[in-house]
Amino acid sequence: MPATKLSKAAAHDPASRIFDLDVSSLRELNQALHNLTPGSNETAWEVLHPKGSHSVAVGVDQPVSIDVRGSVGYYCGGMNSGSTITVHGSAGPGVGENMMSGSIIVKGDASQYAGATGKGGLLVIEGNASSRCGISMKGIDIVVHGNIGHMSAFMAQSGNLVVLGDAGDALGDSIYEARLFVRGKVDSLGADCIAKEMRPEHLELLQGLLDRAGVTGVKPSEFKRYGSARTLYNFNIDNADAY
Amino acid sequence: MTYKNPPTTPRKSATFDDYTLSEIRRAAATGIYDIRGGGAKRKLPHFDDLLFLGASISRYPLEGYRERCDTSVVLGSRHAKKPIELKIPITIAGMSFGSLSGPAKEALGRGATLAGTSTTTGDGGMTEEERGHSKQLVYQYLPSRYGMNLRDLRRADAIEVVVGQGAKPGGGGMLLGQKISDRVAEMRTLPKGIDQRSASRHPDWTGPDDLEIKILELREITDWEKPIYVKVGGARPYYDTALAVKAGADVVVVDGMQGGTAATQEVFIENVGQPTLACIRPAVQALQDLGMHRKVQLIVSGGIRNGADVAKALALGVDAVSIGTAALVALGDNDPRWEAEYNELGTTAGAYDDWHEGRDPAGITTQDPELMKRVDPVAAGRRLANYLKVMTLEAQTIARACGKNSLHNLEPEDLVALTIEAAAMAGVPLAGTNWIPGKNGF
């Protein structure tokens, strides 16, 4: 194990591992996480002084919890498969990209492409997300407490995007089957994205997502639902001006 | 006596030839551009326009079938802990499951493994057929990220970040609804029967600086074991190669415009990009200028057909070539034994390219369970292995005649060009002269 300094709490918990990126390298951190085997009792991890490092805790494939104390750069938690990662700061571009399962919670803001192509799991951004949030999402659930930028959910295929604040231009452009729930205003909808009726099953789904994301004091009925009009699912020359 | 005017011969326009006229009529009738598979069909400067100079007095040849001529190559030695070691410098290019049938993918794996080389996945993700039968498998990381997952990434032997494709630099893909079986739909997380648009750009990076960080992420995920290839369409090979190297690529793949595609607009295939021959020297020059030639390996693809093409590409400075279309033909694509069925589809063996329609009589570019039974993966794999071995023998024959004990010792000095165009593009002299057009710049 590389040189690390144990916090007081961790010193009493044999299951906790602390990596101080001022002392250890990113490679050492990720290799240690990848070396985890099923049933490992090293279930609680802490990363100190990330200072905007890229690729923190990427490719984790075990159900451990990882607390990152500070802000991260690109692709934090990329391809996460089963772990719970909490970023106690803000996240750079591509947080949780292609996540398979598990969850990522960003206490601050997230930059572009949050949750891009995510296949599963839950991504919670307690601040705002930038453009292209949920781009090409493929089953992931994303809950953003604040606002999201333009071109979010572009070509989104599956999963749910919940936004408690506002959405920028071209929301859901060329969307497939993903569901978008926005509580605030939407600057504009992209090609083939329309507002849809909020039926009881959607209210129930949304309540479940809000509960999982730790959102309280907000009712599902305050949201509007958006999704695909499905008019561009098969190419037709008469729709060419929609592109 | 009346004088009759002599008969005249009807003259058709060279500009509005029969093909062009038929395309205008087709566009007017259907309201959609032609979509097809394959690569550029127009005549382009190619390897046929180059010739080797065998040895006489100034060079000393090696004995055919007696003196060793090495064909092996190592790819990804720059950063990867586990570089790819191949017996032959001919790899199988990425072709997607979805575009190709499962048995066809299995056959590619079997054939490549028998011949000692690698296969490559495609836009549809990794299949058990291919992983199970490929000793070495390159996993493509594409803009669509269909089927992309952590475990397959780690099951791969190398990762190829696909930025562009020779048939359509800057273009995305379109798999029409009729080819979307349950299995294809599931792998791509899309409803069955709808058109599947593959994006033209990666969703989570936007330029070379981002690419560098993306490659770092892929290395971290795979513990720096796997070579990272970067594949670009042959459009700006000098700059794209240089930027791929800057971003940290272990291997750069440049795909010229004769490189195939599953389904793209005809107008795109025939009018965007540069011929394979024109892409090699600029790509090699970029590596040389950066001091990275032979350190970052270069793979070139697009219209490679025989051992002479392989030898010529290697002589120009390439480390390995990749084949797609030729591999499909080796498996049985466009085989004349299905001629009657090709005729029913309004075409002929050798010209069938409507792969996206899913009705391939050869059972290769289809998801129709009855048609795909026509591919025997064992027999088709054997044919591919035979073909790869023949290409290798052909290249060795040429290399020995040039006095080389390794295919990789072939060099531009071994070549001349038959045309000024080829001489300029390849950077070798016009035959019978010492003139290299454009020697002082591209």
Side-chain angles (χ1 to χ4, degrees), chain A residues 186-202:
Chain A
V186 173
D187 284 344
S188 66
L189 294 172
D192 215 27
C193 186
I194 56 170
K196 292 189 161 184
E197 179 193 3
M198 187 77 103
R199 296 195 296 269
E201 67 264 32
H202 302 119

